[in-house]
């Protein structure tokens, strides 16, 4: 619905002296002055009321602003033309009076359906504003439509009198014109015009009040939306930060793993490169040992990768679900409280709405509480990284011990001493693989513990936010009864 466009409306003021109108060329005492005074400010008050609406109709989901603009447009546009034409006709001399009245009556005919449209638009306000405001607006619109009948009757009678005066056999002068146009004839016009002015004043007043209250509702909800949006950004930053720490922990663990196996391979590289010089050229146990380490390395990588992905993949859906549930509840409660400030007739409505809209943006119902579930575990994996570093050092030392001891203990690389060390490699391989598997299990277990703790916190905190928000509705209802 478009906002009411500026209208070119005649400025009504007091016209001094005695003038004639409606095509007559004689003066009638205070005739024009009475009509001008009865029209008064015309539609100007309604125009100002419409102009006081500072928010766009599309920003109001209740439809209140759209309905008010529709009421204003349908009232001001036709009545502007009608009242303006009556005022112009009241000062028109030496013109065809029949044409003047035909124009006025056509404008009356156009005004009726427009006022009906205004009443239909006003009916949309019944559930979005206070009952007495709706009834006042609806009643005055109905009266405007009804008073048109009285105005039409008065115009009909005036038309007849003007016609008779214009067609009188004897000349009509300012002295005998009162035979045709007297205080009674004038009153039949001015009384409906005064009534129209009175009803327009009430319509403008109600539009201003309803628009002001709905504007406050939208301000409440806009502020609430901003609070939620800021909270969501806070949560997103916390979630992104946590994911970075998880990925960082993964990379640091992988770096330890890569360095460990690189060091082990370097330790045995000298033996592999001179295989014929060791154990009679039979280094099959060493080849198998290194192959087992490659497999253990791949298994470790896959295991830690899966557990790391599990942490991020499990937390995010729960986080989004709790955000959606909490946001939905907070928004629903905020709309209820804000709308009650414009609908409820309680004398405490404004105070209670203001108080509880503030409470909805404070603990314990702020949505940022969800971010604390993540923030409290932002460094939870640091001990795990430290553990992996220490344990990988032990793996490197243990895995390299065969080569290191053999070089220190055995005098000959092909003798019985060397054969004993090569024979020990299969059992040693199993020990090292078990050690690597234990480290991977600890990493996975730690990440699962952190994941479970965060998820439990998200469910618990989300439920607490929702419960407290719903309790806020009950407290607000009590406030409306007994006051803040």
């Amino acid at each position: 619905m478009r906002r009411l466009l500026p209208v070119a409306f005649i400025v009504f003021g007091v016209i001094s002296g005695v003038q004639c109108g409606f095509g007559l060329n004689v003066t009638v005492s205070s005739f024009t002055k009475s009509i001008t005074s009865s029209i008064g400010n015309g539609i100007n008050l309604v125009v100002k009321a419409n102009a006081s609406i500072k928010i766009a109709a599309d920003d109001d989901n209740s439809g209140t602003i759209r309905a008010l603009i529709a009421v204003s447009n349908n009232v001001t546009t036709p009545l502007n033309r009608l009242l303006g034409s009556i005022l112009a006709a009241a000062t028109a001399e030496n013109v065809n009076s029949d044409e003047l009245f035909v124009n006025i009556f056509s404008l009356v005919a156009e005004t009726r359906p427009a006022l009906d449209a205004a009443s239909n638009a006003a009916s949309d306000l019944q559930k979005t504003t206070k009952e007495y405001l709706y009834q006042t607006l609806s009643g005055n619109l109905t009266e405007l439509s009804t008073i048109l009948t009285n105005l039409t009757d008065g115009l009909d009678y005036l038309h007849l009198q003007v016609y008779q005066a214009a067609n009188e056999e004897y000349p009509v002068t300012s002295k005998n014109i009162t035979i045709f146009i007297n205080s009674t004839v004038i009153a039949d016009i001015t009384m409906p015009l005064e009534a129209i002015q009175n009803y327009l004043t009430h319509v403008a007043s109600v539009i201003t009040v309803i628009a002001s209250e709905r504007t406050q509702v939208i301000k409440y909800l806009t502020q609430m939306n901003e609070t939620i949006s800021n909270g969501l950004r806070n949560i997103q930053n916390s979630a992104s930060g946590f994911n970075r720490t998880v990925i960082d922990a993964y990379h640091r663990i992988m770096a330890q793993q890569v360095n460990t196996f690189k060091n082990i391979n370097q330790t045995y590289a000298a033996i592999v490169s001179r295989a014929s010089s060791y154990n009679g050229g039979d280094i099959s146990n060493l080849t198998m040992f290194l192959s087992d380490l490659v497999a253990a390395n791949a298994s470790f990588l896959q295991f830690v990768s899966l557990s790391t992905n599990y942490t991020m993949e499990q937390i995010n859906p729960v986080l989004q679900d709790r955000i959606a549930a909490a946001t939905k509840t907070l928004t629903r409660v905020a709309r209820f409280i804000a709308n009650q400030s414009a609908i409820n007739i309680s004398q405490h409505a404004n105070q209670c709405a203001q108080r509880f809209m503030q409470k909805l943006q404070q603990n314990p119902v702020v949505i940022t509480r969800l971010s604390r579930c993540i923030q409290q575990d932002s460094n939870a994996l640091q001990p795990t990284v430290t553990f992996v570093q220490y344990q990988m050092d032990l793996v490197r030392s243990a895995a390299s011990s065969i080569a290191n001891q053999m070089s220190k203990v055995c005098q000959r690389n092909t003798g019985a001493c060397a054969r004993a060390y090569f024979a020990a490699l299969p059992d040693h391989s199993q020990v090292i693989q078990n050690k690597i598997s234990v480290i991977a299990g600890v990493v996975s277990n730690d990440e699962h513990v952190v994941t479970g703790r965060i998820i439990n916190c998200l469910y618990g905190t989300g439920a607490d936010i929702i419960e407290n928000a719903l309790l806020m509705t009950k407290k607000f209802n009590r406030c409306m009864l007994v006051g803040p």
Side-chain angles (χ1 to χ4, degrees):
M1 179 69 67
R2 293 169 55 191
R3 185 66 61 83
L4 177 67
L5 298 175
V7 292
F9 193 76
I10 300 172
V11 177
F12 299 116
V14 176
I15 301 176
S16 62
V18 290
Q19 297 186 23
C20 57
F22 294 96
L24 295 177
N25 58 359
V26 294
T27 59
V28 182
S29 179
S30 300
F31 179 52
T32 302
K33 180 179 179 180
S34 297
I35 292 180
T36 303
S37 177
S38 300
I39 292 176
N41 291 322
I43 64 163
N44 287 345
L45 291 177
V46 181
V47 172
K48 290 180 180 179
N50 183 274
S52 70
I53 303 174
K54 303 301 182 182
I55 54 177
D58 291 341
D59 293 335
D60 173 28
N61 293 330
S62 73
T64 302
I65 299 301
R66 194 180 304 277
L68 290 177
I69 294 173
V71 169
S72 298
N73 287 345
N74 283 293
V75 168
T76 54
T77 300
L79 282 176
N80 178 50
R81 298 194 188 108
L82 176 58
L83 297 178
S85 66
I86 292 175
L87 181 63
T91 59
E93 300 179 26
N94 299 318
V95 297
N96 188 316
S97 61
D98 287 336
E99 292 181 359
L100 291 177
F101 281 99
V102 167
N103 178 58
I104 291 172
F105 288 134
S106 67
L107 292 174
V108 171
E110 292 176 8
T111 301
R112 290 188 184 280
L115 291 178
D116 289 340
S119 293
N120 288 335
S123 66
D124 294 336
L125 300 169
Q126 190 166 10
K127 294 182 178 180
T128 64
T129 191
K130 294 179 175 65
E131 179 65 19
Y132 77 88
L133 290 175
Y134 164 72
Q135 292 296 344
T136 300
L137 180 60
S138 179
N140 279 278
L141 290 174
T142 300
E143 292 298 334
L144 274 175
S145 184
T146 301
I147 205 67
L148 281 182
T149 300
N150 295 341
L151 180 60
T152 302
D153 292 341
L155 289 169
D156 278 333
Y157 188 41
L158 176 62
H159 185 201
L160 176 62
Q161 297 305 100
V162 169
Y163 176 82
Q164 289 180 350
N167 293 280
E168 178 61 33
E169 182 179 353
Y170 300 100
V172 176
T173 66
S174 58
K175 293 183 178 180
N176 64 10
I177 188 62
T178 54
I179 298 174
F180 303 98
I181 302 177
N182 50 39
S183 60
T184 301
V185 175
I186 296 174
D188 286 345
I189 301 296
T190 57
M191 288 179 65
L193 289 176
E194 289 172 355
I196 288 174
Q197 178 61 26
N198 182 54
Y199 297 138
L200 286 175
T201 300
H202 291 312
V203 168
S205 176
V206 173
I207 288 175
T208 300
V209 172
I210 294 176
S212 176
E213 291 186 344
R214 184 51 54 177
T215 298
Q216 183 59 58
V217 169
I218 294 174
K219 285 182 179 179
Y220 280 143
L221 296 179
T222 299
Q223 187 178 29
M224 186 66 189
N225 287 338
E226 289 176 355
T227 299
I228 291 176
S229 295
N230 291 336
L232 294 179
R233 282 193 293 271
N234 180 281
I235 295 172
Q236 184 58 48
N237 289 337
S238 296
S240 297
F242 176 77
N243 286 340
R244 284 194 297 270
T245 62
V246 172
I247 294 172
D248 178 66
Y250 169 78
H251 286 155
R252 291 169 66 187
I253 289 172
M254 289 300 102
Q256 291 294 328
Q257 175 251 3
V258 169
N259 289 335
T260 295
F261 286 96
K262 181 179 180 180
N263 183 273
I264 294 171
N265 286 328
Q266 288 175 344
T267 299
Y268 288 98
I271 298 175
V272 173
S273 64
R274 295 188 300 116
S276 60
S277 300
Y278 290 88
N279 198 32
D282 183 9
I283 62 168
S284 58
N285 283 353
L286 175 59
T287 303
M288 180 60 66
F289 173 73
L290 294 176
S291 177
D292 289 341
L293 290 183
V294 170
N297 181 24
S299 178
F300 180 87
L301 174 63
Q302 182 180 28
F303 205 68
V304 175
S305 296
L306 289 174
S307 65
T308 300
N309 290 334
Y310 169 86
T311 295
M312 293 186 290
E313 291 173 357
Q314 291 298 309
I315 290 175
N316 187 63
V318 176
L319 177 61
Q320 297 306 318
D321 176 73
R322 292 300 85 198
I323 286 174
T327 299
K328 181 179 179 180
T329 300
L330 288 172
T331 301
R332 186 172 71 248
V333 172
R335 285 177 180 170
F336 171 76
I337 293 175
N339 283 322
Q340 284 300 304
S341 69
I343 297 173
N344 200 296
I345 61 173
S346 167
Q347 61 178 324
H348 309 298
N350 291 332
Q351 286 180 297
C352 292
Q354 182 177 8
R355 179 184 179 187
F356 280 88
M357 286 303 298
Q358 290 176 348
K359 284 181 173 293
L360 276 177
Q361 299 169 67
Q362 302 169 351
N363 279 327
V365 295
V366 287
I367 199 169
T368 50
R369 288 181 61 195
L370 291 172
S371 66
R372 298 171 194 168
C373 295
I374 301 171
Q375 291 169 350
Q376 68 186 11
D377 276 310
S378 59
N379 295 316
L381 293 178
Q382 179 57 46
T384 305
V385 174
T386 302
F387 167 82
V388 171
Q389 181 178 2
Y390 177 73
Q391 293 297 323
M392 281 298 177
D393 285 343
L394 295 180
V395 168
R396 179 169 56 251
S397 176
S400 302
S401 63
I402 294 292
N404 293 334
Q405 288 183 356
M406 187 169 60
S407 64
K408 293 177 181 179
V409 174
C410 299
Q411 298 299 313
R412 298 174 60 251
N413 293 333
T414 59
C417 179
R419 286 197 299 273
Y421 276 106
F422 274 93
L425 280 171
D427 289 338
H428 193 61
S429 173
Q430 190 62 50
V431 171
I432 299 301
Q433 291 181 67
N434 290 341
K435 181 69 173 178
I436 294 171
S437 178
V438 168
I439 297 172
V442 170
V443 173
S444 176
N445 184 71
D446 286 355
E447 290 187 332
H448 277 68
V449 168
V450 171
T451 301
R453 186 162 57 232
I454 292 175
I455 288 175
N456 291 338
C457 180
L458 290 174
Y459 276 120
T461 302
D464 197 55
I465 292 173
I466 291 172
E467 183 178 33
N468 280 287
L470 295 177
L471 287 174
M472 203 80 75
T473 302
K474 295 181 179 179
K475 293 178 181 178
F476 170 75
N477 287 334
R478 177 174 174 78
C479 180
M480 297 286 276
L481 293 175
V482 301

